[in-house]
Amino acid sequence: MTDTARLSEIVASHAEREGALLPILHDVQAEFGFIPEAALDPIATALRLSRAEVAGVIGFYHDFRRQPAGRHVLKLCRAEACQAMGGVALQALLEHALGQKIGETKDGITFEAVYCLGLCACAPAAQVDGRLVGRLDAAAVDALAEEMRA
Amino acid sequence: MRFWVPADAAAKACGADAVAAAIAAEAARRGIPVEIIRNGTRGMVWLEPLVEIEAPEGRLGFGPMTVADVPSLFAAPAKHPKALGPTEEIPFFKRQTRLTFARCGRTDPLSLSDYEAGGGLAGLRVALAKKPEEIVDDVVTSGLRGRGGAGFPTGIKWRTVQLARAPKKYIVCNADEGDSGSFADRMLMEGDPFCLIEGMAIAALATGATQGFVYIRSEYPDAIAVMRRAVEIATAAGVIGDAMLGSGHAFHIEIREGAGAYVCGEETSLLNSLEGKRGVVRAKPPLPALQGFMAAPTVVNNVLSLAAVPWIMAEGPEAYSAIGIGRSRGTIPLQIAGNVKFGGLFETGFGITLGEIVNDIAGGTASGRPVKAVQVGGPLGAYHPVSDFELAFCYECFAEQKGLVGHAGLVVHDDSADMMALARFAMEFCAVESCGKCTPCRIGAVRGVETLDRIAAGDGAALALLDDLCELMKTGSLCALGGFTPYPVQSALRHFPEEFTPVREAAE
Ligand SMILES: Cc1cc2nc3c(=O)[nH]c(=O)nc-3n(C[C@H](O)[C@H](O)[C@H](O)COP(=O)(O)O)c2cc1C
Ligand code: FES
């Protein structure tokens, strides 16, 4: 199936919903890894919105990407409960091990901040390519960095 | 043999899937038939993965388990180094009053027969025999207040929606749970999803709503999957759908996923997001109860508010209101997090003191160092020093101390905490998450970060500026994001002024 056909299929599958835009954007991102430029017009037309409105919604939410992410995505929790368990030091260790700052995509690795994963009683926590991990410590940093470079 | 291995996200983050696989492999190696049930969590997160074995004397707990601990489970369970004895005798568990979380961890979350055997659907059946206004009266009588943060009486909100005349009404469950230190909504959805569905169904009967939404943050993939499946099962079984439990009432539920925006937990921002718009806050009035989703009358309630209702209907509102103190009735699922020895979910009646929670229940800090401050109520909640430990857990008590109960998350910090850095983080978080609609929040938070940096750099004059800025944000912001961000900042300043002393001056 072509990308255009797949896009139409996604849009059609949600078109009848009340407030269909977020479900559509989630599915488009799940399919393509990001929201391609070419997806904006068909979505806008189907939902009778302007292209600018669709772009505005995409830009508002932290989850939606206009560019593809790296081949690995590491999300580290920066919120208070994780800070209370050494999260700030852990971030520095990870930045050093990966050779990139939080918020950067480099060499196929996207390293970004997240604010609470609901794992605050087993902090510090992170999400590694979708998998949740808790009780992180300095000893876990090397293994994580290695997994990211693979 | 029958094993229970939680599939809760916290248990999985600590290795529960690998432990479950190891149990299956070891059983196969020994040729022993086993049943492994993936339950919700008992809430004792420091013991996760907490494996249970069914024994004649009850369920026996083992934890925190690793893959290496598995083989000896089969040999001599009683002598296992991780043996905890009967799970429900563990003091942390035994001391609780588990009403909302009565089944969580006990049952197979997606088994409707387990749910009913554990008392589920009794509340909905009671509600089906009552008039809508009687259900509303019961919820008012119970004294239940919104558990999402603002503490508004749930029954009063339902009455407004019930009395509104409209062709279509909605029940929207707020499962955005963005507060750091909070995870009760997640645990309930993953561990006892039918309880939330039942609560929403009762809300629908009370108000005449026919469509429900659960708006779950995208950071909770497990909760989203469990809730989707639970709605399918409940609909197929006729609990909800075209005819709720065979009655004449239609009520459908759809699960919606957020997209990473803290502000979307604010109810009007959430409604905009559900409608497919940017999650900007709406000015109130109109109240969502009168003009909510698609401008129709809408109940917006937190997961825990809705999930408390089945128990209230089944056991009677007086039984619920008999618990608690002052105007804080019933139980509150505390979430104990951060630097604590025993972290997790602890449901108890209102009135317990902050000191009891931190010292007795949580066992003090994980690091073994003295407690310095406890942030209660999420990123918009105040930092409480040890001198506040006499404070009783109740809405008014915390408000009087310039704090808030919020969603009842507690984040404990030991004496290594840098209060100025935490105050700066509060402002930084507000700047990152502001919806941008009002200036005090959007610009104020950025100025707040800059001002704290000036103080850190030795500019003593900036302290007064910070205070002015906080007052402006409190009075001028459209919602509690900008309006309450000053709480952690000013409480840190008030209780730990020495940490905000300009370093340069101090050195001179
Ligand atoms: C910035 C902000 C974030 C909020 N986040 C949540 C949330 O994650 N979950 C929630 O139930 N309420 C949250 N609230 C409170 C809601 O606006 C609203 O009061 C609540 O959903 C009402 O339900 P309740 O009466 O059952 O508590 C938030 C409020 C603000 C200002
Ligand atoms: S604060 Fe990090 S998981 Fe909640």
Side-chain angles (χ1 to χ4, degrees), chain B residues 85-107:
Chain B
T87 313
E88 301 197 353
E89 294 299 318
I90 298 171
F92 186 98
F93 192 86
K94 205 176 169 153
R95 291 174 69 174
Q96 299 185 46
T97 306
R98 283 171 85 101
L99 311 185
T100 301
F101 282 82
R103 279 169 302 263
C104 187
R106 277 194 177 144
T107 53

Side-chain angles (χ1 to χ4, degrees), chain A residues 17-19 21-22 26 56-57 60-64 78-81 83-85 115-120 132 134-135, chain B residues 13 45 48 170 180-181 183 186 217-218 254 256 258-260 273 276-277 279 337-339 375 412 422 425 428 433:
Chain A
R17 281 185 210 280
E18 293 173 298
L21 185 50
L22 259 64
H26 273 301
V57 170
F60 183 85
Y61 296 96
H62 299 306
D63 281 2
F64 298 129
R78 283 194 66 220
E80 290 90 341
Q83 290 185 36
M85 288 299 279
Y115 296 92
C116 193
L117 293 161
L119 303 176
C120 336
L132 297 170
R135 292 184 195 144
Chain B
V45 176
E48 292 292 359
Y170 296 90
S180 166
F183 42 78
R186 180 184 67 63
R217 64 199 298 253
S218 61
E254 194 184 318
R256 286 287 176 91
S273 183
K277 300 176 183 153
N339 199 331
Q375 189 178 28
V412 178
L422 287 168
F425 178 81
E428 184 194 350
E433 297 297 339

